[in-house]
Structures are given as C-alpha cells and as structure tokens.
Amino acid sequence: MSFDIVLTVNGTRRTIPIPDPRVTLLDLLRESLHLTGAKKGCDRGQCGACTVLVDGRRINSCLALAASLDGAEILTIEGLAEGDRLHPVQEAFITHDGFQCGFCTPGQIMSAVGLIREAQAGDDPERVREAMSGNLCRCGAYAGITEAVLEAQKALSQNAPTTRQGEAA
Amino acid sequence: MIPFEYVRATDVAGAVAAGAAPGAAYLAAGTNLLDLMKGGVARPTRLVDITRLPGLAAVERRDDGGVRIGALARNSDLAHDPAFAEAYPAVAEALLSGASAQLRNAATAAGNVMQRTRCAYFTDPGSACNKRRPGSGCDAIGGETRLHAILGWSEACIATHPSDFCVPLVALDAGVEIAGPAGTRLVPLESFHRLPGTTPERETVLEPGELITALVLPPEAAAFAGHSRYLKVRDRTSYAFAVVSAAAALRLEGGRIAEARLALGGVALKPWRSRDAEGLLAGRAPDAAAFREAADAALAGARPSGDNAFKIELSRRLAVRALTAAAAGTPARLPALPGSVLAPAPEAAHV
C-alpha cells in the first residue's frame, strides 16, 4: 500500500511518497530525503540522537510513524543555520565544547532548541540537565552541553524576546 | 516489524469499527507501541491512527469542579497546564518524573494508561512469557526480578505496570471514559487494569474495539492540592522507570487528617491504591507513627516474587516519606528533579 504525505521540512513544503506504512519519520528523513543529520543511535527512543522538532516540539523521530505526521512541520539540524550563520545553540555548543565525537550532537542541539522554546528550565543548570536527560552522550560532554544550553538561552532571550510560557508547573 | 494496514480514523465511531477487527491496534503517538513492534513483541496487522480524532486532546474543566483529560492530551501539555498542575500537583509531578522531554512531548494520556509492562522477559520474544504467548510459561520467575511485583502477582506473571501518571490518578479516584461498539462507559481506573491471575494476557477490561476517549478526575480530587506529592525511587535520577513509587495526598483540617489517599507504583501489575492505609489515616494527626502504620497496612499482603524482598521495606519507607512530604505541603514550584528522593525540595507552602 503506497501513498503520499505532505510535510513541510525545514521550511519547504514537500509531497513525499510513503512506500510502506512501517516507515518512521527518522527513516523518511534519512533514506528518502537524504537528511542524515538526525542519527539512528538506538532506534528505540532511548538515546535521543534522532531528535527533531515536529510542529515546534522536540520528539524522537525513530518512534514516530511518518504516515501519522501527514501535514506536519519538521525542523531538523539541517534547517537550523541561516546560510553560513550558525544558530545561537550551534555557536554555543562550539564555544563550550559541547561535543567530542559529534554523533549525538544534532540530537542534542535540536533537543536544546526545543528545551529553550518550552521555557520551563529557566537559568537553573539542574533543570537544564533534567530537561536534557533524553539525550545521551557517550563521550560525556554533558558539562559543556549544559553550559551551552544556558548560554544559548540567554543569547536568544536577548536577541528576540519570546513569550514565556507559564512556569507554574 | 511485520507489515500492517494503516487506517486513519476521522471520528470515534469509525475508529471503534476499524479497531474491532482481529489484529487491530490503536495508534496514538506510538512511543511504546512502535518500540514493541520493532522488537517483534507487538504484532498488529492493522494500525488505526486515532491522532486526528476531533476534540480528544483537550483538557476541560467541568462545571462540577472535575476535569476531563482528553485521551490524546500530551504528557507535557498536561503537566505544564498551569491550572491543571495547580489543582493536581502530584499528577504533574508524576508526569514530569517519567520518560524524557521528547517522549513526554509525544506520549498521550490514554497511551500512558495503555502502556505495556517493561518486564525484560515480556519484551524479549526469545523468553517464555504467559502475557505475550499464553501458556508458554514465565521466564521472569527465577530470573532477574529486581523490578518485579510484590503485590497481586500470580504464578503465571510477576510483571509490574510501569506508569507514573496512573499512580496519583488512581489515588485521586480517576475514571476511564471508554467508547465502544455498545456505546460509552466509565470505569474506575482502579479496576481498569487486571491483576494477572491465570490470564495475564488480559491486561485491561477493554473489549475488542473499545477505545479510551478520556480520563476523568472527580470534583473532590482538587481538595488535596495543598498536600500532595509523588515520589519515585529509580536506578538513576532521571529517565528511568520506578523501582517503587508512591503518590500521597492529604486533606488536613484543624491539624488532623480529614482524608488521605495513598497509591504505590512499580509494585504490581496495576497502580496499587491502598484503601486500608487511607482508612487508618482518617482522623489521625499527621505524624510519623500514623504514617508508618499506614505504610504497614499498605504492604500487609506483600510477598517477594523473587530476589525483590527489598522492595517491600523500600515501599513502606517511600510511603512514609511521601506522606510526610505531602503533610509538609505541596512545593510552590515543582522540584528541579520531579519525584526525586535525592532532590532537596524547598518546602514552601503551596497555598
């Protein structure tokens, strides 16, 4: 059973054939669209290397059925920079050595972008660590990642103040 | 993953009709189902996608003071809904103590209720499992049983239900709204999950085609807002299932407990409410002696299902600690590490 879905991927609306309903969003991105930034680490929702934003929210793309996301907006690591100008989160990961081998980094960065949009962690490193616990880093770059998230969040709030969601929770 | 037919439902009646077919399963976020399908544990031949059913993602305050949580409400949306978190802080804390931010952004309220056990023998198709393949035996018995049941288990199955969310919900008398071929019914969450007995393959009271449309909290549930906690002992501080968890909620009047609620997680194949413990606490002063008596009552029927006798005393101590924390007052803001027994919580009064 083959059918098409429509996704807006990194700002571009695309009609994409689904050859088999078993295809996950991760496999669709990597195999059909050749966007290989999102990584297949565990493929079971445990490592976070496949994290992308769907309709502005970070999720594990390995546990999302592509067919079910018909009509969604997807943002991957490939869509983050503007030309040669890196996104503030990307800049901050470089500044703070937020990676070593780099395999988990696209997922870490997309998760950090999602975390900042969620606006629940504030400037508390403990809350940032907790909110990043779905992204594993086998190189152990966690200290730099936490610093990078905090700095990027500060930079983004200075550049473009966003409406903060309720912090009651 | 075996091939399946993908069906997108557009209304509840259509979903129920499509979901009643043999081999059909409902797909919401799929965070648990797809994982099990990849592992060959779940093998549906038809997926009925319910994510587009209209109106099922809403969290609605009812005129009577209760709340109706739509089946498709995402874990993170519910936990971060300010009015919901203020009225049911232990539910918000339980939600935020579970999984990861990515999973909470996807996973739904009803999906959480319907999630399967994380028993390693259930998720390994090479192991015998009466739940996965009735009559095949239980390799968990005599195996690695650290996370297995101490209450309500049987010789056929010693697995636990892994939900955090369901633990405070069952303490707060939540109901499960179910649509089916014969109409709609409301089942108390407390009797929704079945204990294993001789038929561990029958996990809930759902009949073929029946679909959860909402979870409902009664008006009385909000009366515990000022004294509610969810605590969770796990093998790492974040992104781990409970070894044991406890939801405690108190209604205090004149320095005494007018009404208490206590439920445990990670101890049985269902969220385990202890009405015996609750009954003992009514009318008592909220002190250590009362809490220990309640904990003893809650675990009175407990017995190890393997190398997990430690969970019995751990559960008692966690129940005491959760009751003590609840008596001290709900924190004004959830701790940085929700549900953690290691996190220092500034215990500012909630109201």
Side-chain angles (χ1 to χ4, degrees):
Chain A
M1 184 180 70
S2 180
F3 54 99
D4 291 346
I5 63 167
V6 176
L7 293 179
T8 302
V9 182
N10 298 332
T12 306
R13 192 178 155 87
R14 311 174 67 149
T15 300
I16 306 161
I18 302 284
D20 182 312
R22 287 177 286 183
V23 173
T24 62
L25 176 60
L26 176 63
D27 284 338
L28 188 84
L29 291 171
R30 292 181 58 85
E31 308 298 334
S32 296
L33 305 183
H34 307 297
L35 295 169
T36 54
K39 295 293 184 282
K40 186 179 276 197
C42 68
D43 205 30
R44 306 293 286 269
Q46 297 178 7
C47 77
C50 67
T51 301
V52 301
L53 302 196
V54 173
D55 294 330
R57 301 154 63 103
R58 52 179 166 155
I59 66 156
N60 301 107
S61 61
C62 73
L63 288 185
L65 208 59
S68 184
L69 297 177
D70 194 2
E73 278 189 34
I74 316 293
L75 183 65
T76 73
I77 190 75
E78 289 89 346
L80 211 52
E82 290 176 28
D84 288 338
R85 210 174 110 238
L86 292 180
H87 186 276
V89 175
Q90 293 172 307
E91 290 277 11
F93 266 68
I94 294 171
T95 305
H96 291 278
D97 282 337
F99 53 89
Q100 197 178 103
C101 83
F103 184 84
C104 73
T105 310
Q108 297 277 1
I109 288 176
M110 295 314 294
S111 190
V113 171
L115 179 159
I116 293 167
R117 289 190 185 196
E118 287 158 17
Q120 295 290 338
D123 58 2
D124 180 353
E126 190 79 300
R127 287 179 193 268
V128 169
R129 282 190 288 270
E130 163 63 23
M132 290 294 287
S133 73
N135 293 83
L136 305 187
C137 171
R138 290 296 301 273
C139 300
Y142 295 112
I145 290 169
T146 305
E147 289 167 10
V149 174
L150 287 166
E151 182 184 287
Q153 181 171 254
K154 207 169 155 190
L156 282 163
S157 69
Q158 282 161 0
N159 295 347
T162 50
T163 310
R164 290 176 73 81
Q165 294 170 10
E167 291 195 334
Chain B
M1 197 187 299
I2 63 168
F4 57 83
E5 176 196 8
Y6 173 77
V7 179
R8 192 178 287 165
T10 52
D11 57 40
V12 169
V16 166
Y26 291 117
L27 173 76
T31 53
N32 186 212
L33 180 60
L34 286 181
D35 185 36
L36 292 171
M37 289 167 68
K38 288 181 182 190
V41 179
R43 301 167 66 83
T45 50
R46 169 189 280 182
L47 280 194
V48 180
D49 185 345
I50 57 168
T51 55
R52 283 151 210 270
L53 295 183
L56 284 198
V59 180
E60 297 163 28
R61 248 63 56 175
R62 292 180 146 177
D63 292 341
D64 65 3
V67 66
R68 182 179 182 274
I69 304 163
L72 296 176
R74 309 283 177 175
N75 284 193
S76 53
D77 288 341
L78 189 57
H80 292 309
D81 177 321
F84 183 86
E86 190 181 345
Y88 316 104
V91 181
E93 184 162 24
L95 282 167
L96 294 175
S97 77
S100 67
Q102 288 96 316
L103 289 165
R104 293 191 296 267
N105 275 344
T108 64
N112 187 297
V113 174
M114 290 301 293
Q115 70 181 303
R116 315 291 295 277
T117 181
R118 262 59 177 193
C119 172
Y121 302 92
F122 169 72
T123 53
D124 168 28
S127 296
C129 173
N130 288 320
K131 182 184 281 298
R132 184 165 27 73
R133 202 163 145 250
S136 66
C138 171
D139 276 349
I141 293 175
E144 297 268 340
T145 50
R146 178 172 167 73
L147 296 178
H148 287 77
I150 52 170
L151 285 162
W153 54 271
S154 73
E155 295 301 326
C157 180
I158 61 172
T160 54
H161 193 263
S163 173
D164 295 301
F165 181 46
C166 288
V167 180
L169 282 184
V170 80
L172 295 175
D173 259 341
V176 184
E177 186 187 286
I178 299 165
T184 301
R185 62 185 179 127
L186 188 68
V187 174
L189 179 60
E190 196 176 2
S191 49
F192 179 81
H193 298 99
R194 300 166 62 109
L195 288 174
T198 55
T199 54
E201 72 278 12
R202 296 202 62 192
E203 299 181 344
T204 71
V205 299
L206 289 182
E207 298 295 334
E210 284 195 317
L211 173 71
I212 298 177
T213 48
L215 305 173
V216 179
L217 281 170
E220 309 80 65
F224 299 92
H227 295 275
S228 298
R229 284 305 297 274
Y230 180 73
L231 292 181
K232 175 179 178 183
V233 175
R234 51 205 137 160
D235 287 336
R236 59 184 180 209
T237 307
S238 181
Y239 200 8
F241 290 101
V243 177
V244 171
S245 70
L250 301 172
R251 193 161 59 73
L252 300 179
E253 275 175 15
R256 298 208 161 251
I257 300 168
E259 193 178 1
R261 301 287 176 87
L262 180 68
L264 300 171
V267 296
L269 203 45
K270 60 188 287 184
W272 192 271
R273 181 168 174 187
S274 178
R275 290 176 183 272
D276 289 345
E278 294 172 3
L280 275 172
L281 288 169
R284 298 281 299 270
D287 57 28
F291 294 155
R292 182 69 199 192
E293 267 179 58
D296 285 344
L299 276 300
R303 60 196 174 105
S305 60
D307 298 326
N308 51 24
F310 76 96
K311 287 178 68 169
I312 299 173
E313 179 59 17
L314 186 61
S315 300
R316 288 194 194 103
R317 293 185 189 187
L318 191 67
V320 170
R321 187 146 167 190
L323 287 163
T324 306
T330 306
R333 187 185 182 200
L334 273 187
L337 304 174
S340 175
V341 291
L342 305 174
E347 305 285 3
H350 179 65
V351 281

